[in-house]
Amino acid sequence: MAEHNELGKSGEQIAIEHLTNKGYKILETNWRAGRFEIDIIAQVNKQIIVAEVKTRTSNYLMEPEAAVTKDKRRMLIKAADIYVQRHNIDLEVRFDIISIVISKEEFRINHIEDAFYPMM
């Protein structure tokens, strides 16, 4: 597996542990519908959480969360809509970004709740 893929998997595992420790129930990881993908789908209270995980080895040029572009947000919103419809879910959906910087044996995590909202 390519090094960047391993880094991404490590970041997703850190994010899952972070959410679980905060009391979130993990419903899905790497959920796909055609070309759409959601890194983590979780539930906390009466909300479905759609979490995009961005992992980097450095934040020298930019913070990892800056890589969640307008197009990526649009794809996540569409993916969440498909997931909610397929599973007949009637709960509020929240979009979070989990930004992780891993260096040597340490990591820094930034969980941004309500990172963006679907446009009407």
Side-chain angles (χ1 to χ4, degrees):
M1 182 181 291
E3 188 175 329
H4 70 278
N5 290 340
E6 289 182 27
L7 180 67
K9 292 292 179 197
S10 296
E12 287 179 8
Q13 191 56 47
I14 290 168
I16 289 167
E17 290 172 16
H18 168 77
L19 292 173
T20 301
N21 290 339
K22 288 182 69 174
Y24 290 58
K25 178 182 176 188
I26 305 301
L27 303 177
E28 306 270 356
T29 58
N30 299 308
W31 182 84
R32 290 187 177 275
R35 63 187 177 109
F36 300 101
E37 181 193 6
I38 301 173
D39 292 334
I40 300 172
I41 302 172
Q43 184 173 354
V44 65
N45 302 320
K46 295 185 180 198
Q47 286 186 317
I48 296 296
I49 309 305
V50 173
E52 176 68 7
V53 180
K54 289 297 180 190
T55 308
R56 301 290 187 267
T57 56
S58 168
N59 61 345
Y60 177 70
L61 296 176
M62 70 176 168
E63 292 294 334
E65 62 268 20
V68 183
T69 64
K70 186 176 181 178
D71 286 340
K72 181 62 177 175
R73 291 190 301 268
R74 195 177 353 246
M75 297 286 276
L76 286 167
I77 292 164
K78 179 63 177 166
D81 187 49
I82 293 168
Y83 182 83
V84 164
Q85 287 182 24
R86 285 188 182 173
H87 292 86
N88 198 28
I89 294 172
D90 188 25
L91 297 173
E92 179 183 344
V93 177
R94 187 179 86 201
F95 295 89
D96 291 4
I97 299 173
I98 301 176
S99 168
I100 301 169
V101 177
I102 299 175
S103 58
K104 298 184 183 174
E105 299 301 318
E106 302 175 335
F107 67 88
R108 178 179 55 84
I109 187 167
N110 182 18
H111 180 182
I112 305 164
E113 297 181 5
D114 284 319
F116 58 91
Y117 302 94
M119 300 309 242
M120 298 295 172

